[in-house]
Amino acid sequence: MADTLVGKVLGAADGEAGAPQVSLGLIMSDTALLSGSDDPAHLEGFGPIPAELAREIMADACTSDEVIWLRRLYTSPTTGELVAMDATGRFFRGSLARFIRLRDQVCRTPWCDAPVRHVDHLQTHADGGPTSARNGQGLCESCNYAKDAPRWRTRPQPDGSVAVTLPTGHQHRTRPPPLVTIRSRQVPALRVDYVLAG
């Protein structure tokens, strides 16, 4: 039984020791990864880290015999928020659930900063709500159960925010926090020395 446990933990078959399976959620801009930019990175479960440290983590992983999976996540060029991703399933599983956890970071209920425990629909699946990043939200367990109370309503808005209407009639809007810092990049001026006319 001990050999089976070791094999399962280390990801090997028949109890033979293998490399442990480790997943590290490191989010950084392409310019921070490839161009030496100082845009801070985001380490899942920790928060912002310096770009230099994130590049060191990537370089150390690339020089070893580890298997590396890179997943491209796209952010809005103006707000820095992660943008939508679609899925075909009914439940938020796998990469879609992880995407929403990375995007929201904490419970999406306006007054709650508890860790995300559930990923659920804004507009319920029974009411025709799709299983997509735009219609998904990360919630703590308590807020996820509370949103099923009578006259509690949540709806995605066109600008990416979530409108929460409470049973009292009060309405609040929330947005996920930005994960990357967007700095304005100036386009170099174009200078024309001469023009040939024919």
Side-chain angles (χ1 to χ4, degrees):
M1 287 180 11
D3 290 341
T4 303
L5 173 65
V6 169
K8 294 289 185 184
V9 170
L10 297 179
D14 300 324
E16 296 175 9
Q21 302 291 321
V22 176
S23 176
L24 179 68
L26 178 64
I27 302 171
M28 59 192 309
S29 67
D30 57 343
T31 56
L33 176 62
L34 304 172
S35 302
S37 167
D38 289 330
D39 296 341
H42 180 86
L43 185 60
E44 182 181 11
F46 180 78
I49 62 171
E52 182 65 27
L53 176 59
R55 283 192 291 272
E56 285 180 24
I57 292 171
M58 288 299 298
D60 289 345
C62 290
T63 57
S64 65
D65 292 332
E66 298 168 4
V67 176
I68 299 172
W69 291 90
L70 296 178
R71 182 175 290 124
R72 292 179 294 186
L73 302 176
Y74 297 97
T75 59
S76 165
T78 55
T79 64
E81 296 172 357
L82 289 176
V83 294
M85 176 175 133
D86 292 329
T88 56
R90 156 91 167 72
F91 297 103
F92 292 94
R93 293 189 176 140
S95 60
L96 179 59
R98 188 169 185 201
F99 176 88
I100 292 172
R101 288 176 196 276
L102 286 170
R103 181 194 67 193
D104 292 349
Q105 299 178 45
V106 295
C107 181
R108 268 309 267 281
T109 305
W111 53 85
C112 184
D113 287 330
V116 172
R117 297 285 183 237
H118 294 179
V119 177
D120 205 351
H121 295 80
L122 289 165
Q123 181 180 358
T124 64
H125 192 270
D127 292 337
T131 304
S132 66
R134 185 172 182 274
N135 192 45
Q137 63 180 340
L139 297 166
C140 70
E141 189 172 357
S142 176
C143 290
N144 192 33
Y145 295 138
K147 75 177 182 62
D148 291 331
R151 297 185 319 188
W152 186 297
R153 193 175 131 173
T154 56
R155 292 288 183 258
Q157 301 301 306
D159 64 353
S161 65
V162 173
V164 180
T165 306
L166 304 177
T168 60
H170 294 89
Q171 190 176 66
H172 301 275
R173 285 188 179 222
T174 65
R175 296 189 67 81
L179 288 177
V180 295
T181 303
I182 303 297
R183 295 188 179 135
S184 61
R185 292 178 172 84
Q186 296 180 353
V187 178
L190 179 65
R191 190 177 121 195
V192 178
D193 289 331
Y194 58 90
V195 176
L196 295 176

